[in-house]
Structure formats: C-alpha cells, structure tokens
Amino acid sequence: MSQQRDQWTSNVGFVLAAAGSAIGLGNLWKFPFITWNNHGGAFVLVYLMCIAGVGLPIMMAELLIGRSTQKSPVGALKEAIGPAWGLVGAWGVLAGFSILSYYSVVAGWSLFYFVKTLGWSLTGFPADVQTGAIFASVVSNGWRQILLSGLFSMGTVATVYFGVHGGIEKISRIFLPVLFAILLLLLFSALTMDGAGEALHFIFRPNFHELEPRGILEALGHSFFTLSLGMGAMITYGSYIKRDKSLVSSATIIVVLDTVIALFATIIMFSVIFTVPGMPEQVSSSTVGMLFISLPQLFYQVVPFGRILGPLFYVLVAMAALTSTISLLEVVVSYFIDERAMPRPKATLVSGAAIFVFTILAALSFGEVSWLSSFELVHGKQGFFATLDHFASNYQLPIGGLFITIGCGWFMTRKQTEDELVDDQTPGWFSYGVWRFFIRFVAPAAVAAILIAVLFFGADFS
Ligand code: PHE
C-alpha cells in the first residue's frame, strides 16, 4: 500500500481520459436508439435537463470524493463519508464487473465490422449482400464471438496493465482527438444529405404530446450510463488528479463533450436513415440493428465518401468503446491495488481473466448456447447479455448513484465539499449553493423516482 500512487500527467490528460470513459457505446449505440424510440424532440430536451440537473452535479460529487481522498471507490467512500460506505464502493466494483462483461461483446462486433467494411471498401460492395443475415451469422457463431470479444478484452487489459499515465492517459490522448476528427468528417458528410433537415427536425423539435412518462425516466437512467456515473469510475479517475485545476471546469467539459458527441452521432445516423425512402420504417426495433444492420450498407449506397467513412466509422466505435472499457476495468483493478495491496500487473491480469469468463457467457448468449440465450429472469429480457444489461442500467447504476448523491449531500460536511469545489480557479458562473441544493434534493429525488418506477411500476431503462 505504500507504493507511489499513479497520477495523470496533466489536467488535459485527465479530462481526455474521463471524457473517453463517458463517451462510448452509450453515445453511439444506445442514445440514438432510445431517441428514436421516444420520438426525438421532447425526449432530447428532457435528456439535456437530466444531464444538467442530475448528471453534472453527481459528476462533480464523484470527482471531488476521488480527488479529496486519493483513493479508489471503496477506500474513498469509507474515508470521505464513513466505514459503512465502503459497501457502496464495493457495489460499484461489482457494477464494473458486470457492465464490462457484456460491453466487450458489442465492442467486439465493431472490430468485425471494421474488417468487413474495409474489405467492401477495397473490393466493392456486393449487390446481393444481406446485412441482416451477416449480423445474425456474427452473433450466432460462438467461436467468432469469443474471438472478437477476446481480442477487445486483450486491448482493455493491455492498456490498464500499463497504468494510469502509461496506459490509460496515453491511449486517451491519441484516441479522443482522432475520434473527434472522424466524427466531424461523418457529420459534414451527413449534413449534405437530403435527410439531414428531417433528422434535425426530429431531434430538436420538441413535441410534448409524443413523450411518454417512461421516456422521462429512460432519459434519467441513460444519463448515468452515458456519463459513467453511479459505479465509481469517476471517483477512481478523480483520485488520480493532482490538485491544481478547478474540478467544476473539468466536470463541465467532460459532460459537455459527452453530450455533444451523443447529439452528433444521432444527427449522423438519422440523416442517413431519413435519406433512404422507407428506411425509417425498416430500422429494426433494436439498437444493434441501427448500428450494425442498417448503417453498413448505407455507407455504400447513400453516404457521400461512404467508402472511406464506413471503415472509419467502425474504428470510431471501437476506439470510443475502448476508452470506456479501460475505465470499467480500472475500477475493479484499483480496488485490488488499493485495498488488497496487489501489484498492478497481477491485479489487471486476474480481474481481466475473471471478467472474461463472464464475457464468454454473454458472447454465447445470442443463440450458440441455448440456455444462455433463452432464460428469462426478467420479463422481456431474454438471455445472459440482455439480463446483465438490464440489471446494470436499471439497478446497479441508479442505486449506486443514489447513495453517492445522498452521501455527498447529507453525510459529508459542507466544508469537505466546498473546499474541493470552490477555489481561485472556479468559474464565475458556478454557485456552490445551487450545486448543494441539487446534490441534496434534486438529484436524490430524481434517482429515487427512477428506482420507484423500476421496482413498483415495471419500468425498464436498459
Ligand atoms: N459511459 C460509457 C458509455 O457511454 C459506459 C460506462 C458506464 C463506462 C459506466 C464506465 C462506467 O458507453
């Protein structure tokens, strides 16, 4: 435990790493789909309100708990609030374990589609290709699923193995700017398409008649997932910050970047979809469908410069996913380093291997192994993958988030939090009093509403 604790080399490095954690499949895979399902406009507005009113204050709370204690979640919560709160940290470690195990499966698909689209770009897109059938064959082929998610998990383990600044920060410094550049290219291409106007209209024109109450709760649930909140990822990343820059500014930049990228991704996908007659009706009723079934062929049929942008798009998905999976693994690994005094290499390999066992189960739950694919613990959620996703989004993150906001708002002293948030670098618009009101009242009430909806009214946010 006496080993020198790893740190970010600079505030920029930290912000890029934390933004990398936030920006991931949640932005590219989940957000466009739930926006589609909830009819855009009003849903997007509610989502933005949840991000600003719940996500941002909790982001500041997690970062300040991490920075003030310089410990990973279990130790941090014990020290900042009290011994029993270590349980909340342990809950987060478990959440990291379960999210990582299914997340790597989707991330693996992006590798497959990168290679596939690269092939199409080089040799031409075959006229008779059935992208739906291709996807079905990918997910139902157990060995290929294990290979793809295994390759991806190796990338995650390798990065975390090299530590906070030697691995995580280095990768984030390269990936985030590249990711931004690719996304901007895609955005410019999408905005020239015929469907762009309709897409913008769909996303930004609020029509409150179309918003169902469960959409509000869905927006709130998603804001935890997309900002990596509720399981200690931001506590962990915060614990590697040196105390020199304002936490308020860093938290705001991370949240804004995450939100902008989710919106860009949605504009891109919807512009493509609205450009093809009949496509809006066809977009299959799954998130996976939009990203891996509809889009691949459209790159070759309607997207300007699609031959180049297609493979780039799947590289983007893979890079965004990797900067998120490393943060999930880091939560687990930092627990073993800080609380069990394990050296980083051993902690990384042991937790990476243990999680991969569950990744294999998730990878095989798309048909290859029938009991894994078909059991239904929760109504409508079939199989291991869907069940893990359901528990993580509906229970693990909101429950973790509820305790963090209550702990920070009601059990930490005013001085403890004010000292972290207010210093001579704090931006002028920030009001500590407003933050404290949100963290004590608004955020807990909102999160409690999600849980009540899930537990008593059968709502589902996964
Ligand atoms: N925020 C990530 C995404 O949007 C997912 C994630 C959740 C990462 C929780 C870390 C912790 O894809």
Side-chain angles (χ1 to χ4, degrees):
M1 281 243 253
S2 57
Q3 38 185 325
Q4 177 70 29
R5 198 177 161 77
D6 223 347
Q7 280 194 327
W8 310 112
T9 57
S10 72
N11 201 55
V12 174
F14 152 64
V15 169
L16 287 175
S21 166
I23 298 163
L25 298 173
N27 305 60
L28 307 170
W29 167 57
K30 285 194 170 189
F31 183 68
F33 170 69
I34 56 177
T35 300
W36 185 267
N37 259 0
N38 287 290
H39 320 288
F43 173 80
V44 172
L45 201 64
V46 170
Y47 169 76
L48 294 177
M49 284 159 53
C50 294
I51 290 286
V54 179
L56 182 59
I58 298 186
M59 174 70 76
M60 292 176 189
E62 288 205 18
L63 291 177
L64 83 82
I65 292 172
R67 188 177 73 173
S68 65
T69 56
Q70 300 279 304
K71 292 204 167 102
S72 52
V74 173
L77 289 162
K78 276 189 193 161
E79 183 176 315
I81 316 180
W85 291 78
L87 282 177
V88 178
W91 178 260
V93 173
L94 272 181
F97 204 105
S98 55
I99 297 178
L100 189 51
S101 37
Y102 69 88
Y103 204 92
S104 300
V105 175
V106 183
W109 297 337
S110 63
L111 296 180
F112 173 85
Y113 276 91
F114 167 62
V115 175
K116 193 89 197 161
T117 47
L118 196 62
W120 284 336
S121 292
L122 295 174
T123 59
F125 186 71
D128 55 351
V129 132
Q130 289 285 333
T131 48
I134 294 182
F135 184 70
S137 80
V138 177
V139 300
S140 59
N141 180 333
W143 285 112
R144 184 151 61 189
Q145 286 271 80
I146 293 176
L147 178 73
L148 291 168
S149 55
L151 280 174
F152 198 89
S153 303
M154 274 159 60
T156 310
V157 167
T159 312
V160 171
Y161 186 95
F162 288 107
V164 175
H165 79 266
I168 301 178
E169 184 177 336
K170 276 216 175 87
I171 288 282
S172 311
R173 274 180 183 269
I174 304 169
F175 278 20
L176 263 267
V178 174
L179 189 147
F180 239 120
I182 299 178
L183 204 72
L184 282 181
L185 279 178
L186 283 158
L187 184 70
F188 288 134
S189 163
L191 288 176
T192 65
M193 301 180 61
D194 295 340
E198 202 174 335
L200 290 171
H201 210 249
F202 185 92
I203 301 166
F204 293 111
R205 180 201 41 86
N207 181 351
F208 282 93
H209 304 300
E210 287 171 350
L211 186 68
E212 295 158 26
R214 70 179 287 276
I216 302 178
L217 299 168
E218 199 164 357
L220 197 53
H222 184 68
S223 43
F224 276 95
F225 188 87
T226 191
L227 294 175
S228 310
L229 297 175
M231 47 88 56
M234 292 298 164
I235 298 182
T236 310
Y237 274 21
S239 75
Y240 304 128
I241 316 179
K242 285 185 231 141
R243 205 190 157 121
D244 54 354
K245 289 279 179 325
S246 159
L247 267 191
V248 171
S249 315
S250 304
T252 312
I253 298 172
I254 298 162
V255 168
V256 168
L257 284 176
D258 184 79
T259 308
V260 167
I261 298 233
L263 292 173
F264 281 4
T266 312
I267 296 174
I268 293 165
M269 283 181 217
F270 290 7
S271 299
V272 176
I273 288 166
F274 279 119
T275 299
V276 186
M279 190 47 105
E281 291 73 41
Q282 269 180 46
V283 168
S284 90
S285 59
S286 74
T287 26
V288 164
M290 208 181 268
L291 208 54
F292 298 112
I293 301 178
S294 315
L295 279 180
Q297 83 190 72
L298 300 182
F299 277 115
Y300 298 90
Q301 292 166 347
V302 291
V303 178
F305 308 107
R307 276 178 72 167
I308 301 168
L309 295 178
L312 278 182
F313 176 76
Y314 291 102
V315 170
L316 165 99
V317 178
M319 291 197 313
L322 187 70
T323 52
S324 298
T325 53
I326 56 187
S327 70
L328 289 160
L329 184 58
E330 181 62 21
V331 172
V332 182
V333 167
S334 66
Y335 166 77
F336 286 109
I337 298 177
D338 289 351
E339 302 297 316
R340 301 265 170 246
M342 240 188 228
R344 174 173 286 272
K346 182 171 170 204
T348 311
L349 295 175
V350 170
S351 18
I355 294 168
F356 189 62
V357 172
F358 287 84
T359 299
I360 293 178
L361 298 180
L364 296 179
S365 71
F366 289 86
E368 178 74 3
V369 174
S370 65
W371 69 270
L372 278 175
S373 315
S374 57
F375 75 87
E376 209 172 290
L377 212 59
V378 183
H379 181 68
K381 299 284 145 187
Q382 254 191 4
F384 192 70
F385 177 101
T387 308
L388 275 183
D389 186 27
H390 174 83
F391 278 106
S393 313
N394 287 3
Y395 297 96
Q396 292 184 297
L397 298 184
I399 291 176
L402 181 63
F403 280 105
I404 290 171
T405 177
I406 292 177
C408 189
W410 293 92
F411 290 86
M412 286 175 76
T413 62
R414 186 181 175 104
K415 178 161 174 10
Q416 258 180 308
T417 51
E418 195 166 11
D419 280 354
E420 289 296 320
L421 293 179
V422 184
D423 52 39
D424 51 3
Q425 310 242 10
T426 306
W429 56 263
F430 178 75
S431 151
Y432 175 78
V434 172
W435 174 81
R436 194 164 159 87
F437 177 74
F438 272 78
I439 210 74
R440 300 186 90 184
F441 299 101
V442 180
V447 182
I450 303 186
L451 290 173
I452 290 171
V454 171
L455 291 171
F456 302 110
F457 298 100
D460 172 25
F461 309 115
S462 53

